Amino acid sequence: MPLSVNTSRKRRIRSAVTLLSGLLPVLLGFAILYLQAERTLQHSSEQTAEAAIRQFELMLDNNAQAARELLPLAGQNCNDVQLALREQVTRRPFVRSTSLVWDNTIYCSSLFGDYQEKISAGDYTQGGLLLMKGNLVTPDTALLVYRLSEGKQAALSTLDGYHLSNVLRLIGRNTLLVLQVGPHSLSADTTFHEGALPAFPVAPSSRTSSRYAFNVAAGFPAGETWRYMSSEYPPLFSLLIFFGVISGFIGHFLQKRSSSPSHELMRALEAAEFVPYFQPVVHGDSKKWSGTEVLMRWNHPKEGLVRPDLFIPFAEHSGLIVPMTRSLMRQTAALLGPLSTSFDGPFHIGINITASHCKDLELVEDCREFLSAFAPGSIHLVLELTERELIVPTAISHQLFEQLHELGVMIAIDDFGTGHSSLGYLRQFNVDYLKVDQSFVAMIGADALSRHILDTIIELCAKLDLGIVAEGVETQEQSDYLTAHGVNFLQGYLFGRPMRGAEFITALSHH
Ligand code: C2E
Ligand code: CA
Ligand code: CA
């Protein structure tokens, strides 16, 4: 509806809202997928660390078993026990070598037999495990040494770092894993590290063995979340974009709908923004206020008071004119009804009605309700039907007009002279008044031909015994002319402009 001029700004806002309603679900969905990917990676990192712990524990169980069997032999002559040491190496998987210790000195090993090397129990984490970079035989292959001790006795059994790195590599195919024993650690690429390693950048987790003194750190390299999303979620991304487009369309459609004329009128109707204005109709002779025409105004919250010709066509088109007119009639009845006992002589109340209001008999009920608000006989309700949009004569319309007349409701043809009502039409619908269009009144004082047309209309009314109302009387000359020619009622700015209810009631008491 062209009520305001600032349309380009509105269009910009509308485009922005459409864009936002399209982008919002995409961004939101993207954020949810990102969180979901992070959760999945975190879960996977924890699971992998746990699997590695279990695997290392199974491997160390062999070393522990070997050490348990060898411990009672510690202190015995190396030559006597060397075979037992080698037997453990042969029989137990993952056991690479075994040695016996007496008073913190290795004195016998499966590899070298008699052999002397000082050790410190403090090097072993919780006295039980030591991760070494290598030893004399394989200086570049890490070793995990298991130690079991009792008093001066101790038995050592070693696990090859190669097996450990293998486990780290195989279990954590996509996950990075590190075995940590005290201050030392070993990664999947067989690298031995001194000191604590920094946590992994994505989904870092750490699990500690409940049975041996080691723990496993797991995680992913930087950028893994994006890599994971781009490999796992492409179908979901397509779905997100699809939803984004749908949501953008819905946003666009809802905006269009909410700014569509009928939606806006419906909103205004519910918000009671359509209000009646009253313009006095005066008596031709006495110029006494003998009635009023009710004119609709839209009290728009942003645009202010809107003229009816800007919105009535939309209201007619959308079919909302009927409930709007009904609302206007109710407001008028509520305003003027209480005054009706003080009216001297029937007061004319003109209500503008469109053809669409005459499609069924509802109008009869609307009028009955309207009349019931007034003291009996205190008013003449006049329905104004514009000549430009005449009612098609049908069985229903005849019934309607009959029932309206039975109720005492009068019919006026509005804007008379601008349409094509025939004499037959005027008789068929039992018309009571003609409202001469203001364009003819404006001709008074102009050329003789124009005045002649006006005179003919006035004569026609007299012949057909119809009441006549002249609209748009603005000058004294027009008023005098019409009075001299016997026009019953006059309406125009000369006597009063359309005014709000309270103002009209005050003015009415002075007339
Ligand atoms: P209308 O029924 O011919 O109403 C008379 C119009 O002439 C009103 O315009 C009124 O303000 C204006 N008018 C009155 N005296 C003078 C005057 O001396 N000089 C000039 N230049 N104008 C004068 P308004 O209120 O803007 O209404 C315009 C039209 O909108 C009405 O013409 C009527 O067709 C329609 N309308 C107004 N209210 C309603 C309604 O409740 N229902 C329907 N269906 N139509 C309505
Ligand atoms: Ca009218
Ligand atoms: Ca008119």
Side-chain angles (χ1 to χ4, degrees):
M1 251 174 306
L3 299 180
S4 78
V5 278
N6 211 350
T7 48
S8 81
R9 194 169 148 251
K10 277 186 183 164
R11 208 173 303 132
R12 274 206 306 278
I13 292 174
R14 204 181 295 168
S15 310
V17 172
T18 302
L19 194 72
L20 213 67
S21 53
L23 274 181
L24 212 65
V26 175
L27 294 179
L28 211 70
F30 202 77
I32 290 171
L33 286 184
Y34 187 86
L35 290 178
Q36 180 61 33
E38 276 195 330
R39 272 185 52 174
T40 309
L41 289 177
Q42 187 65 42
H43 185 69
S44 154
S45 151
E46 286 163 8
Q47 292 281 89
T48 314
E50 257 158 35
I53 291 269
R54 273 196 306 279
Q55 191 58 40
F56 288 141
E57 283 177 348
L58 282 176
M59 291 161 85
L60 278 170
D61 283 347
N62 293 288
N63 294 69
Q65 185 64 29
R68 254 197 310 279
E69 288 188 18
L70 293 175
L71 185 65
L73 307 182
Q76 292 183 23
N77 191 298
C78 185
N79 285 335
D80 300 340
V81 294
Q82 198 174 357
L83 213 62
L85 290 180
R86 287 184 183 152
E87 189 195 345
Q88 290 301 326
V89 173
T90 322
R91 275 182 42 199
R92 308 250 169 238
F94 302 115
V95 177
R96 186 179 123 169
S97 68
T98 51
S99 352
L100 289 176
V101 177
W102 182 258
D103 199 11
N104 287 330
T105 305
I106 299 174
Y107 73 93
C108 189
S109 103
S110 58
L111 198 61
F112 305 118
D114 245 341
Y115 169 75
Q116 291 288 316
E117 186 186 342
K118 210 66 190 137
I119 60 162
S120 159
D123 289 345
Y124 290 78
T125 308
Q126 291 169 23
L129 272 189
L130 173 67
L131 185 64
M132 294 168 67
K133 190 172 194 290
N135 64 3
L136 277 175
V137 186
T138 50
D140 295 322
T141 306
L143 281 175
L144 185 60
V145 187
Y146 178 83
R147 173 178 176 271
L148 188 66
S149 64
E150 202 178 303
K152 289 192 172 182
Q153 290 180 305
L156 306 179
S157 99
T158 60
L159 208 163
D160 199 310
Y162 169 79
H163 295 306
L164 300 170
S165 295
N166 254 354
V167 168
L168 294 174
R169 203 170 39 248
L170 292 176
I171 291 185
R173 257 190 313 249
N174 299 318
T175 321
L176 301 175
L177 284 173
V178 168
L179 167 69
Q180 292 177 326
V181 181
H184 305 141
S185 47
L186 180 72
S187 48
D189 58 1
T190 69
T191 319
F192 175 87
H193 305 269
E194 293 258 11
L197 284 178
F200 291 112
V202 175
S205 69
S206 175
R207 287 287 183 273
T208 304
S209 166
S210 56
R211 296 172 50 214
Y212 301 101
F214 74 91
N215 63 305
V216 170
F220 293 92
E224 180 64 20
T225 314
W226 296 112
R227 258 194 300 280
Y228 179 82
M229 286 173 80
S230 61
S231 74
E232 297 295 318
Y233 294 158
L236 292 176
F237 287 151
S238 320
L239 207 67
L240 269 187
I241 291 174
F242 173 73
F243 280 133
V245 171
I246 296 276
S247 155
F249 268 118
I250 292 176
H252 180 72
F253 171 76
L254 286 180
Q255 284 184 88
K256 244 184 111 173
R257 211 183 68 142
S258 69
S259 63
S260 75
S262 57
H263 194 271
E264 181 62 3
L265 288 175
M266 179 66 98
R267 184 201 59 73
L269 182 63
E270 279 164 8
E273 287 173 12
F274 299 110
V275 292
Y277 266 56
F278 300 89
Q279 186 180 29
V281 176
V282 304
H283 217 280
D285 300 323
S286 62
K287 309 293 185 296
K288 238 182 91 177
W289 285 21
S290 59
T292 177
E293 176 175 3
V294 183
L295 295 158
M296 198 182 292
R297 294 289 181 270
W298 184 353
N299 211 348
H300 198 283
K302 285 196 197 126
E303 312 288 337
L305 212 58
V306 182
R307 290 200 330 257
D309 46 335
L310 290 178
F311 63 87
I312 294 279
F314 293 99
E316 285 179 18
H317 184 73
S318 63
L320 281 170
I321 188 66
V322 174
M324 281 161 69
T325 308
R326 194 168 291 145
S327 153
L328 207 68
M329 287 172 82
R330 285 184 183 152
Q331 293 180 64
T332 304
L335 271 166
L336 302 184
L339 310 177
S340 60
T341 45
S342 60
F343 293 156
D344 49 348
F347 194 69
H348 287 232
I349 300 179
I351 305 275
N352 293 288
I353 298 289
T354 56
S356 60
H357 211 150
C358 304
K359 281 202 304 274
D360 51 35
L361 299 177
E362 257 185 316
L363 184 57
V364 180
E365 288 320 306
D366 293 338
C367 292
R368 205 191 302 278
E369 184 191 324
F370 183 83
L371 290 170
S372 69
F374 295 86
S378 63
I379 61 159
H380 277 159
L381 171 59
V382 185
L383 301 183
E384 300 187 8
L385 298 160
T386 175
E387 197 188 39
R388 280 187 298 257
E389 191 202 348
L390 286 174
I391 294 146
V392 186
T394 60
I396 285 283
S397 62
H398 278 114
Q399 210 180 333
L400 173 74
F401 282 81
E402 250 168 54
Q403 292 192 16
L404 286 173
H405 273 117
E406 276 167 27
L407 262 184
V409 176
M410 295 178 165
I411 306 295
I413 298 293
D414 202 357
D415 311 323
F416 188 75
T418 61
H420 334 80
S421 59
S422 62
L423 291 183
Y425 187 90
L426 298 181
R427 227 178 265 123
Q428 211 173 12
F429 283 123
N430 226 339
V431 169
D432 303 280
Y433 286 96
L434 291 188
K435 291 195 80 170
V436 181
D437 191 65
Q438 54 198 45
S439 57
F440 295 104
V441 175
M443 288 169 184
I444 296 170
D447 58 293
L449 175 68
S450 308
R451 219 177 39 239
H452 185 64
I453 300 173
L454 179 64
D455 294 347
T456 313
I457 296 173
I458 297 170
E459 264 171 48
L460 175 78
C461 286
K463 280 197 188 121
L464 292 174
D465 199 20
L466 296 178
I468 182 163
V469 185
E471 290 187 300
V473 182
E474 289 182 353
T475 64
Q476 195 56 48
E477 185 192 359
Q478 291 165 349
S479 168
D480 292 343
Y481 185 92
L482 293 160
T483 308
H485 286 74
V487 172
N488 318 88
F489 299 103
L490 308 176
Q491 178 184 350
Y493 293 167
L494 183 66
F495 311 106
R497 285 181 175 257
M499 56 193 96
R500 54 179 75 244
E503 205 184 322
F504 179 74
I505 290 170
T506 316
L508 186 62
S509 62
H510 296 116
H511 288 83

